[in-house]
Amino acid sequence: MAAFSRFLEVLDTLREKCPWDAKQTNESLRPNTVEEVYELVDALIADDQANIRKELGDVLLHVAFYAKIADEKGEFDIADVCNSLTDKLIFRHPHIYGDVKADNAEDVLQNWEQIKLKEKGGNKTVLGGVPSALPALIKANRIQEKVAHVGFDWEEPRQVWDKLKEETAEVEAEIEKGNQEGLEEEFGDLLFSVVNAARLYGVNPENALERTNRKFIKRFNYLEKRANELGRSLKDMSLAEMDEIWNEAKKLK
């Protein structure tokens, strides 16, 4: 593709002639890579197509940059990255490139996890491929998805509600004891079960929580704005007064 070749040529030139680009390493780029991925996620949540295109470009730059650094060390180049990915996609889609049967998306996911356990150089355990650095909420969901694909799951989604009640009771018991360490552990179990419930009902917990975060921010900003318009400080307002404005915010789209 001409556009991709042009992009790589520009990256080569910048790596050679730009003082900033020339001094970058895997370590120096890593924090920026994390930031770029989150900026892409923000654009995706907002369904902002112009920004999605922009942020995809920024992420692509980082992918190519890491490959460029590796190429300079004689380890691999961007072509190796592309070929490795293509080979993996073909190997993990035997229902397309082989004789394995998969009638729906769930069948594909089941096959995918089994293949990852078997492939050369792949994960040797079910949870071996879960990155340790993932944020806890995303990690919990990924762990549960992976074990579910090998059959470790509730038989019916409704069964999870008894587990949630059990975990809630255990949190309340630790509160009564005043045991802070035990309380943290039980809150963790409760949150893990909430994530599980969301997954079982087809809800991505990260997306759900972020949706609530954004809703809360919008309503709180309205509360703060209205308080300023009334010449009031939030610190000096009663909870009842703030609730009245909060209810106004809830009626807004």
Side-chain angles (χ1 to χ4, degrees):
M1 177 187 276
F4 190 62
S5 295
R6 176 171 172 255
F7 158 61
L8 293 179
E9 288 174 4
V10 169
L11 180 58
D12 287 345
T13 299
L14 294 178
R15 182 67 172 168
E16 179 184 352
K17 297 182 179 180
C18 173
W20 186 89
D21 289 281
K23 76 173 192 176
Q24 296 311 305
T25 65
N26 287 346
E27 291 72 26
S28 68
L29 285 173
R30 187 173 62 243
N32 292 337
T33 304
V34 174
E35 181 179 344
E36 295 298 351
V37 171
Y38 276 110
E39 288 178 357
L40 172 59
V41 171
D42 278 345
L44 290 167
I45 291 172
D47 195 24
D48 183 339
Q49 295 302 313
N51 260 332
I52 290 173
R53 181 179 65 180
K54 171 184 174 295
E55 300 302 340
L56 282 172
D58 290 343
V59 172
L60 176 60
L61 169 60
H62 281 249
V63 172
F65 214 139
Y66 289 120
K68 175 65 178 174
I69 292 171
D71 187 21
E72 292 168 354
K73 296 177 180 177
E75 295 174 351
F76 60 85
D77 60 16
I78 192 67
D80 295 320
V81 173
C82 292
N83 286 326
S84 177
L85 173 60
T86 302
D87 290 343
K88 181 169 68 175
L89 288 173
I90 292 171
F91 182 74
R92 291 187 181 178
H93 289 78
H95 54 290
I96 303 296
Y97 298 99
D99 55 6
V100 172
K101 185 177 175 64
D103 295 325
N104 51 55
E106 184 58 33
D107 288 345
V108 173
L109 287 174
Q110 294 280 1
N111 290 338
W112 184 277
E113 293 298 334
Q114 294 296 329
I115 291 168
K116 286 169 70 175
L117 288 173
K118 296 176 182 177
E119 67 185 354
K120 183 178 180 180
N123 303 316
K124 302 305 181 183
T125 63
V126 173
L127 298 178
V130 178
S132 59
L134 278 179
L137 184 67
I138 299 174
K139 186 191 291 186
N141 191 53
R142 192 70 187 108
I143 288 170
Q144 293 168 16
E145 287 177 338
K146 279 184 165 290
V147 299
H149 290 151
V150 295
F152 191 75
D153 203 3
W154 298 103
E155 293 179 355
E156 297 290 340
R158 57 184 172 79
Q159 293 174 312
V160 77
W161 298 111
D162 287 335
K163 184 62 175 175
L164 275 169
K165 292 174 184 176
E166 175 189 326
E167 297 297 351
T168 300
E170 291 177 359
V171 167
E172 292 173 345
E174 293 301 327
I175 291 173
E176 291 295 324
K177 294 177 186 176
N179 182 356
Q180 192 64 29
E181 183 177 347
L183 183 59
E184 180 177 309
E185 180 179 347
E186 295 303 339
F187 259 118
D189 291 346
L190 177 58
L191 289 169
F192 195 83
S193 295
V194 170
V195 170
N196 207 3
R199 177 188 62 83
L200 288 166
Y201 285 91
V203 173
N204 183 298
E206 175 71 16
N207 293 345
L209 182 57
E210 179 56 20
R211 184 174 181 175
T212 296
N213 287 341
R214 288 171 181 259
K215 181 170 60 178
F216 184 92
I217 290 170
K218 181 179 179 181
R219 291 174 179 176
F220 192 85
N221 286 343
Y222 177 86
L223 167 61
E224 194 170 31
K225 178 182 176 184
R226 286 289 293 129
N228 289 334
E229 291 172 350
L230 295 170
R232 302 288 303 280
S233 167
L234 291 178
K235 291 182 179 179
D236 298 329
M237 294 177 69
S238 68
L239 183 57
E241 289 174 316
M242 288 190 283
D243 276 343
E244 184 177 349
I245 299 175
W246 185 267
N247 288 329
E248 290 178 18
K250 289 171 67 175
K251 296 175 183 177
L252 300 176
K253 291 185 178 179

